[in-house]
Amino acid sequence: MPIGVGGSHGNRRPSGGEAGGAHAWLEGAETKEVAEQDCRPRPKSLPFGGLRFFFGRSVRRSRRHLEFLQTPGFPVNHEVSKEETWSRDNSTPRLFEPEIAPAGMGDRIWLSFPVLLLAALPPELLPGAAGFTPSLDSDFTFTLPAGQKECFYQPMPLKASLEIEYQVLDGAGLDVDFHLASPEGKTLVFEQRKSDGVHTVETEVGDYMFCFDNTFSTISEKVIFFELILDNMGEQAQEQEDWKKYITGTDMLDMKLEDILESINSIKSRLSKSGHIQTLLRAFEARDRNIQESNFDRVNFWSMVNLVVMVVVSAIQVYMLKGLFEDKRKSRT
Amino acid sequence: MAGVGAGPLRAMWQQALLLLALCTTGSRGLYFHIGETEKRCFIEEIPDETMVIGNYRTQMWDKQKEVFLPSTPGLGMHVEVKDPDGKVVLSRQYGSEGRFTFTSHTPGDHQICLHSNSTRMALFAGGKLRVHLGIQVGEHTNNYPEIAAKDKLTELQLRARQLLDQVEQIQKEQDYQRYREERFRLTSESTNQRVLWWSIAQTVILILTGIWQMRHLKSFFEAKKLV
């Protein structure tokens, strides 16, 4: 399927149009007040209410993440004209003000903390006319088999900052134990059965170890995404000078070169932040998608089981009753 | 990490290791330990036509000296990359230090698996191998000093080029996000449909079964002259 296909679905079926009456009957109590406040036309018919007990996962939790995404400026509606307006008008300033939450986010604003942390970082990093210091970061997604623990190590210099963010994307229960230890072996963070987390530490010299533990689960493997953001690593200034050697020629302009460079640096750091936010969104979306696909499988499976059980039970009932009466007649005569 | 040794000795070799890690190219990054036949897989969800460069460095554990050797000749790692459809994109053997590259042709979850193929490890390694890994995706793969030298760019031009690459990557990622969200929506709606129709069908079947039961039992009782 070509990538751009999502944009051409401008005429999305209105959610109320399909079998309206039956939908009203199904609409559980859980399509909360958020739906009215969102920009996006949410299909109201997702029956999270009555069926929540079927699903082992906390479906409600994944909805909270979706709410986080509904800050204005995110292109979550599919009408083509709206998207184009978005990209032309509202883009950059909105994208970097995720702290502004729509009314009604209320107590769920803590979800924007990872983004706030990211938002807080680059302003400190924007230097003067010299080079720019991008933060080093890496992210990995891996599968953690059932009953296993996997550890990663990150060497750090003194007085740098290590931020680690992890999310469980797939696997029944969507939780994992997390453990972060300093180079001396002291436990800095120990979380049990959490679905996601963010931690920042000011570092000493040495190898920091962090582990994901899935030993409490005997059958389900987890897909875990984690991201490491390292700042003030110290060798960056060295790198900037290194590649200055490779450029040729000079620029002759009216404006001072430093001013232009400064604005370019600012743009670059903001774009990096965009990229970071995208990674975050990608992880959220992947998790929601996995939840939905698992729901789909469960619905299919349990419907079949239900059908079979119903038929079998009714047959058993009838034949048992018949059997009871026939025995009584025999014993009487 | 625990149990390696105590106090100053531990701090010393950690410092040495850190210095070493900082000096060697591209390996001041994350590392992990891998057993002999163990396979470690990482998933990268990427849009199509995106280049991915991975580089790794391995160190073997020396049982006698209780230290990781700086470089290990003869130790190889097998790298296997699978695309979202399960087809193998890259399957190659590399030395103890290697760099692998691939470009995605379909958007989706690509799986990068590493495992050691060396049997020599069991002999004097105590079965532990330290692997330093770094994976760069998209515009992070561009080597700007090289591009600047090749195209003879001034600093301003180079920065503009970097920005353009960055924006292009973000845009590709956004397009892919739209595609994924559409699939997600289709699955949700399909689930919802099925829930709806199944509930209706269930009610109808229940009612019909109830009616059948009552009628059958009634005729049974009448036949047995109880009613």
Side-chain angles (χ1 to χ4, degrees):
Chain A
M1 201 189 283
I3 291 176
V5 75
S8 60
H9 278 243
N11 47 339
R12 189 182 168 284
R13 272 181 305 154
S15 54
E18 30 179 333
H23 272 265
W25 169 65
L26 260 189
E27 215 168 80
E30 299 304 313
T31 49
K32 308 180 276 233
E33 57 280 344
V34 188
E36 287 91 65
Q37 286 163 358
D38 287 344
C39 320
R40 149 161 118 167
R42 189 186 293 269
K44 291 201 183 72
S45 43
L46 289 178
F48 285 127
L51 291 161
R52 205 145 59 89
F53 62 87
F54 272 151
F55 307 133
R57 297 170 192 199
S58 168
V59 170
R60 194 196 285 264
R61 206 185 320 149
S62 68
R63 298 267 294 192
R64 284 209 309 239
H65 290 307
L66 272 177
E67 289 151 27
F68 160 68
L69 292 180
Q70 302 314 315
T71 52
F74 281 91
V76 287
N77 50 25
H78 285 262
E79 294 144 50
V80 176
S81 57
K82 261 198 183 175
E83 265 167 345
E84 285 176 3
T85 331
W86 173 84
S87 60
R88 251 181 270 133
D89 302 343
N90 313 347
S91 52
T92 330
R94 296 280 198 137
L95 198 56
F96 302 110
E97 294 167 14
E99 306 87 311
I100 300 172
M105 284 277 281
D107 54 308
R108 301 183 189 101
I109 203 169
W110 65 268
L111 278 172
S112 49
F113 275 177
V115 183
L116 277 181
L117 271 169
L118 289 174
L121 288 176
E124 275 92 63
L125 294 181
L126 287 181
F132 52 101
T133 48
S135 56
L136 301 169
D137 65 315
S138 48
D139 59 274
F140 291 96
T141 311
F142 68 101
T143 308
L144 185 58
Q148 276 190 30
K149 173 176 175 167
E150 282 185 9
C151 294
F152 295 87
Y153 304 84
Q154 172 68 43
M156 298 293 295
L158 190 59
K159 294 231 189 303
S161 120
L162 169 69
E163 180 186 341
I164 172 165
E165 193 208 331
Y166 68 94
Q167 274 191 35
V168 185
L169 300 183
D170 198 8
L174 285 186
D175 50 7
V176 77
D177 292 346
F178 177 72
H179 174 225
L180 174 65
S182 75
E184 281 91 42
K186 190 172 85 126
T187 298
L188 298 171
V189 175
F190 185 64
E191 290 184 332
Q192 286 192 303
R193 307 200 66 155
K194 287 282 174 64
S195 149
D196 47 52
V198 184
H199 302 281
T200 313
V201 289
E202 171 105 5
T203 63
E204 321 158 332
V205 183
D207 295 355
Y208 279 76
M209 170 179 86
F210 53 97
C211 298
F212 299 97
D213 193 341
N214 195 23
T215 42
F216 58 82
S217 165
T218 43
I219 37 167
S220 65
E221 58 170 28
K222 307 273 159 73
V223 175
I224 297 174
F225 159 83
F226 70 90
E227 185 174 23
L228 283 172
I229 302 173
L230 315 173
D231 282 323
N232 306 326
M233 287 289 272
E235 311 96 64
Q236 291 162 154
Q238 179 65 24
E239 267 175 51
Q240 300 310 311
E241 298 314 310
D242 277 346
W243 66 257
K244 271 189 197 288
K245 290 186 291 205
Y246 294 95
I247 55 180
T248 54
T250 49
D251 302 288
M252 310 245 292
L253 297 160
D254 289 342
M255 277 176 70
K256 266 171 54 176
L257 190 62
E258 285 87 19
D259 292 334
I260 295 179
L261 283 177
E262 203 172 313
S263 54
I264 288 185
N265 290 344
S266 150
I267 293 175
K268 184 163 205 302
S269 69
R270 285 172 190 232
L271 282 176
S272 304
K273 214 182 355 167
S274 261
H276 280 316
I277 294 177
Q278 255 190 351
T279 311
L280 213 68
L281 290 181
R282 187 182 67 208
F284 280 139
E285 191 271 341
R287 186 213 305 221
D288 288 343
R289 187 161 27 97
N290 289 332
I291 291 177
Q292 273 298 350
E293 287 182 1
S294 153
N295 287 352
F296 181 78
D297 292 335
R298 286 194 206 210
V299 162
N300 283 345
F301 177 69
W302 288 107
S303 302
M304 286 314 299
V305 166
N306 217 352
L307 175 67
V308 166
V309 165
M310 262 202 311
V311 169
V312 164
V313 163
S314 79
I316 289 177
Q317 277 181 337
V318 167
Y319 289 111
M320 250 187 63
L321 276 174
K322 278 170 84 164
L324 283 175
F325 284 104
E326 275 168 16
D327 285 345
K328 275 202 183 137
R329 297 273 321 196
K330 282 197 196 119
S331 61
R332 230 184 275 165
T333 52
Chain B
M1 288 295 277
V4 169
L9 187 64
R10 185 185 156 95
M12 241 174 63
W13 76 257
Q14 273 182 347
Q15 292 259 17
L17 190 65
L18 181 67
L19 267 171
L20 187 72
L22 287 174
C23 294
T24 45
T25 46
S27 54
R28 62 185 163 286
L30 197 69
Y31 65 83
F32 53 90
H33 295 145
I34 191 171
E36 192 180 318
T37 47
E38 221 182 303
K39 192 173 190 174
R40 285 285 185 104
C41 291
F42 295 91
I43 299 168
E44 287 292 332
E45 190 172 5
I46 43 183
D48 65 350
E49 307 309 325
T50 305
M51 181 145 127
V52 177
I53 295 182
N55 46 65
Y56 71 88
R57 186 170 68 92
T58 56
Q59 286 177 315
M60 200 146 67
W61 173 250
D62 188 336
K63 256 196 294 206
Q64 287 103 22
K65 293 188 223 155
E66 301 237 316
V67 124
F68 278 91
L69 302 172
S71 71
T72 342
L75 193 66
M77 292 284 278
H78 186 93
V79 176
E80 195 178 68
V81 178
K82 289 205 183 127
D83 76 352
D85 306 319
K87 203 167 60 98
V88 174
V89 169
L90 176 74
S91 177
R92 266 189 64 183
Q93 186 88 0
Y94 294 87
S96 74
E97 211 172 302
R99 185 184 156 100
F100 55 92
T101 305
F102 68 93
T103 305
S104 62
H105 297 294
T106 40
D109 283 343
H110 289 70
Q111 205 178 46
I112 301 169
C113 289
L114 298 165
H115 69 267
S116 158
N117 69 326
S118 172
T119 46
R120 241 187 288 166
M121 262 177 69
L123 289 174
F124 55 94
K128 234 180 9 173
L129 191 70
R130 176 177 288 185
V131 181
H132 299 254
L133 183 66
I135 297 179
Q136 281 105 35
V137 174
E139 94 276 8
H140 294 295
T141 59
N142 291 340
N143 185 359
Y144 286 105
E146 200 179 291
I147 293 175
K150 188 169 71 104
D151 295 342
K152 297 194 179 37
L153 300 174
T154 63
E155 187 170 357
L156 206 57
Q157 287 171 336
L158 184 68
R159 304 285 183 144
R161 181 74 67 89
Q162 280 180 328
L163 290 174
L164 287 172
D165 287 342
Q166 223 173 356
V167 168
E168 193 186 320
Q169 182 67 23
I170 288 180
Q171 188 191 0
K172 251 205 277 190
E173 188 72 50
Q174 266 191 347
D175 283 340
Y176 178 47
Q177 168 77 359
R178 277 202 288 194
Y179 157 73
R180 283 195 309 252
E181 204 272 344
E182 188 210 350
R183 267 187 44 202
F184 177 34
R185 187 166 36 90
L186 288 174
T187 310
S188 296
E189 290 190 355
S190 163
T191 304
N192 185 54
Q193 283 277 345
R194 290 182 188 222
V195 162
L196 170 66
W197 289 115
W198 170 243
S199 306
I200 292 175
Q202 191 178 9
T203 312
V204 165
I205 290 177
L206 261 177
I207 291 173
L208 287 176
T209 314
I211 293 173
W212 172 77
Q213 276 184 332
M214 287 302 115
R215 286 225 309 236
H216 188 85
L217 282 174
K218 189 163 172 209
S219 65
F220 174 66
F221 289 149
E222 282 169 358
K224 298 291 179 181
K225 301 190 175 61
L226 289 172
V227 172

